[in-house]
Amino acid sequence: MKMEVKKEAPAFILRGSSYNGCGEYVEVSYTDLRAANIGDAWEGYDNHNCGRALNEESAEVVYKTDNGVAVLRRRWGTTDSPDPENWEDAPELIWYEFA
């Protein structure tokens, strides 16, 4: 008998990084989104205490119905230079519909 295992893919993955390496992955599943409340948030951040080439991101539930959730994604960080400057992308609103 042959057995196959299938795992639900995460709704999204957050991860921070910097000049010194990558932070830990933060996987958010549809189960997490179904259980979330408005205002619940997750963050992918750098854990190397480096301020150069910093990339961090967050996701916050801003609206919820029985059919899905609206998540506001943000990305920010610093440039890759000896004297890094801050930057921030425009926020992105994503609708995750429940099956």
Side-chain angles (χ1 to χ4, degrees), residues 46-60:
D46 173 62
N47 55 1
H48 295 93
N49 285 334
C50 179
R52 184 173 171 183
L54 185 65
N55 288 287
E56 297 186 321
E57 53 186 345
S58 68
E60 179 183 356

Side-chain angles (χ1 to χ4, degrees), residues 24-68:
E24 293 183 23
Y25 289 96
V26 176
E27 292 187 1
V28 180
S29 69
Y30 278 91
T31 301
D32 295 329
L33 293 176
R34 282 184 190 92
N37 295 308
I38 294 173
D40 286 354
W42 301 267
E43 185 173 319
Y45 59 91
D46 173 62
N47 55 1
H48 295 93
N49 285 334
C50 179
R52 184 173 171 183
L54 185 65
N55 288 287
E56 297 186 321
E57 53 186 345
S58 68
E60 179 183 356
V61 175
V62 294
Y63 182 76
K64 183 175 182 180
T65 70
D66 290 339
N67 298 324

